[in-house]
């Protein structure tokens, strides 16, 4: 692991700063924050107007002097000051006072697998701005694997796929470490964008940028599988006239549009398996792939992976919060490392 379990047990708070949602776990209290990573700012005064769900609902509906920002992109903090302000308001005054009473506040945070030193530094600075004296960084892949109950510390192969909003991470784990991993810059946002572009080009229809995810509007029933409904009624705005219009969309064409970005995800899984030792690949034949992350709930995605890889595919019980729950389990001391005693010569 990135840090030892003993160091993580000394931490008081764990944070998962995602491109879509921010989640905070406090030791002894559990998951206390699960809100969108969005903030609304008054550009005239610099005052923070709203954060979380309310700020997300304001997207695309604000006057000129209100700007809706996302301080986290692709799992990396791109605006440290705004991320600190957003976190402070999400935590609330009561919880902040409780954390400030800690003599030496320690925090743990998730980072993407291939995060460069600059991105890691931005995460550390964000947590230091909240009063943390020491910050431990944990790979998102390991935290998510722990959170969904996979035997990470055992000498057997475990394959996990973290489906985020901005990217998808695939890795094979063994003995508490990453054997091989790949990060694909395709996530839930890219899939939504593919649906929006298809409706724009094929039907000259613009969907709202907010309110309901375009993907869930266009697909229901069995989702990506052919057994789903033949057509779906979509409401939007006509590109030419600007008037409200409803059209019946062929879901087979929507499925084809979605498969295009998902091809890169399948290529990433293939690369991870090719780089993996044969013994571990043999383990994966029985154990399969565990899917976590908010985009893992995309209807039919698990079946598409089964058909493409021929391996069992399972979705975690709570895929969207696995990473922060994994960090929480490490903070609470629920994970016991496998002790390797050196042989005496």
């Amino acid at each position: 692991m990135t840090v030892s379990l003993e160091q993580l047990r000394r931490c008081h708070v764990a944070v998962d700063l995602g491109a879509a949602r921010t989640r905070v776990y406090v030791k002894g209290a559990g998951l206390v924050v699960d809100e969108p990573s969005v903030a609304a700012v008054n550009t005239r005064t610099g005052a923070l107007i709203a954060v979380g769900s309310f700020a997300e609902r304001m997207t695309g509906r604000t006057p000129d002097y209100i700007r809706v920002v996302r301080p986290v992109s692709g799992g990396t903090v791109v605006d440290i000051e705004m991320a600190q302000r957003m976190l402070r308001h999400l935590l609330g005054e009561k919880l902040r006072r409780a954390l400030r009473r800690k003599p030496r506040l320690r925090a743990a945070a998730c980072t993407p697998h291939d995060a460069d030193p600059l991105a890691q530094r931005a995460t550390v600075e964000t947590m230091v701005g909240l009063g943390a004296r020491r910050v431990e960084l944990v790979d998102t892949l390991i935290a998510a694997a722990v959170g969904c109950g996979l035997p990470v510390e055992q000498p057997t192969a475990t394959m996990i796929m973290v489906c985020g909003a901005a990217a998808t991470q695939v890795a094979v784990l063994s003995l508490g470490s990453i054997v091989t991993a790949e990060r694909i810059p395709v996530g839930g946002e890219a899939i939504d964008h593919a649906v929006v572009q298809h409706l724009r080009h094929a039907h000259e229809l613009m969907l709202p940028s907010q309110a309901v995810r375009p993907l869930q509007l266009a697909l229901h029933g069995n989702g990506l599988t052919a057994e789903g409904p033949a057509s779906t009624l979509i409401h939007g705005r006509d590109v030419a006239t600007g008037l409200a219009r409803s059209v019946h969309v062929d879901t087979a064409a929507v499925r084809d549009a979605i498969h295009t970005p998902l091809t890169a995800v399948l290529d990433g899984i293939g690369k991870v398996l090719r780089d993996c030792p044969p013994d571990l690949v043999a383990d994966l034949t029985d154990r399969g792939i565990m899917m976590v992350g908010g985009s893992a709930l995309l209807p039919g995605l698990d079946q598409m992976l089964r058909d493409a890889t021929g391996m069992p595919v399972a979705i975690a019980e709570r895929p969207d919060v696995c990473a922060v729950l994994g960090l929480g389990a490490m903070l609470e001391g629920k994970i016991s490392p496998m002790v390797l005693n050196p042989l005496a010569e």
Side-chain angles (χ1 to χ4, degrees):
M1 294 187 181
T2 313
V3 293
S4 69
L5 289 173
E6 186 59 37
Q7 289 173 308
L8 288 173
R9 287 194 190 101
R10 299 173 186 168
C11 294
H12 306 98
V13 61
V15 178
D16 179 16
L17 280 169
R21 299 185 75 87
T22 294
R23 300 176 176 94
V24 179
Y25 185 104
V26 174
K27 191 173 185 177
L31 187 64
V32 295
V33 174
D34 185 2
E35 293 281 341
S37 304
V38 188
V41 185
N42 186 326
T43 56
R44 295 174 181 172
T45 64
L48 201 61
I49 297 174
V51 295
S53 301
F54 186 54
E56 188 178 46
R57 291 200 300 271
M58 295 168 65
T59 305
R61 297 182 173 91
T62 59
D64 292 340
Y65 66 91
I66 296 178
R67 186 165 59 99
V68 178
V69 297
R70 291 182 177 270
V72 184
S73 176
T76 301
V77 178
V78 293
D79 188 338
I80 296 175
E81 182 185 357
M82 187 56 64
Q84 291 174 348
R85 295 175 68 186
M86 180 187 72
L87 269 175
R88 280 197 291 267
H89 281 79
L90 288 176
L91 285 171
E93 183 61 32
K94 182 179 178 181
L95 189 54
R96 289 207 310 273
R97 281 201 304 267
L99 291 176
R100 279 199 296 265
R101 285 198 290 267
K102 305 290 184 184
R104 285 186 59 84
L105 181 63
R106 289 174 175 244
C110 290
T111 55
H113 170 65
D114 60 348
D116 55 34
L118 190 61
Q120 295 179 0
R121 183 66 183 172
T123 303
V124 171
E125 289 292 335
T126 302
M127 302 309 299
V128 169
L130 291 177
R133 300 294 185 89
R134 184 181 175 94
V135 182
E136 310 290 358
L137 299 180
V138 181
D139 199 301
T140 303
L141 291 164
I142 295 179
V146 172
C148 61
L150 294 177
V152 180
E153 296 292 335
Q154 299 303 314
T156 56
T158 299
M159 190 168 190
I160 188 165
M161 177 176 169
V162 180
C163 309
T168 300
Q169 301 177 72
V170 185
V172 175
L173 311 177
S174 180
L175 288 173
S177 300
I178 296 174
V179 178
T180 178
E182 187 74 15
R183 185 175 184 270
I184 307 104
V186 174
E189 293 174 354
I191 296 171
D192 287 353
H193 181 71
V195 176
V196 170
Q197 291 302 309
H198 167 74
L199 294 176
R200 185 183 180 96
H201 295 149
H203 301 278
E204 296 184 348
L205 192 73
M206 291 182 64
L207 288 184
S209 62
Q210 197 40 46
V212 184
R213 288 187 58 173
L215 184 60
Q216 296 176 352
L217 276 172
L219 293 176
H220 56 80
N222 291 320
L224 297 179
T225 60
E227 289 79 13
S231 64
T232 304
L233 184 65
I234 299 294
H235 308 284
R237 190 182 75 180
D238 190 280
V239 174
T241 65
L243 301 177
R245 185 162 65 93
S246 301
V247 296
H248 283 277
V249 178
D250 181 16
T251 52
V254 175
R255 283 197 299 272
D256 292 339
I258 289 175
H259 274 289
T260 302
L262 290 179
T263 303
V265 176
L266 297 177
D267 291 342
I269 293 175
K271 185 177 186 306
V272 169
L273 291 174
R274 287 193 299 272
D275 295 342
C276 193
D279 290 343
L280 294 180
V281 176
D283 291 345
L284 295 175
T285 306
D286 299 326
R287 306 183 68 87
I289 306 172
M290 177 65 75
M291 294 174 59
V292 301
S295 300
L297 298 173
L298 176 64
L301 178 58
D302 53 341
Q303 186 59 47
M304 191 190 79
L305 293 178
R306 289 189 196 99
D307 297 338
T309 62
M311 296 164 54
V313 178
I315 302 177
E317 185 177 351
R318 299 180 65 188
D320 50 341
V321 295
C322 278
V324 71
L325 291 182
L327 276 181
M330 297 178 194
L331 263 61
E332 303 283 2
K334 298 178 181 178
I335 307 300
S336 300
M338 188 177 68
V339 179
L340 298 177
N341 293 321
L343 297 176
E345 297 182 1

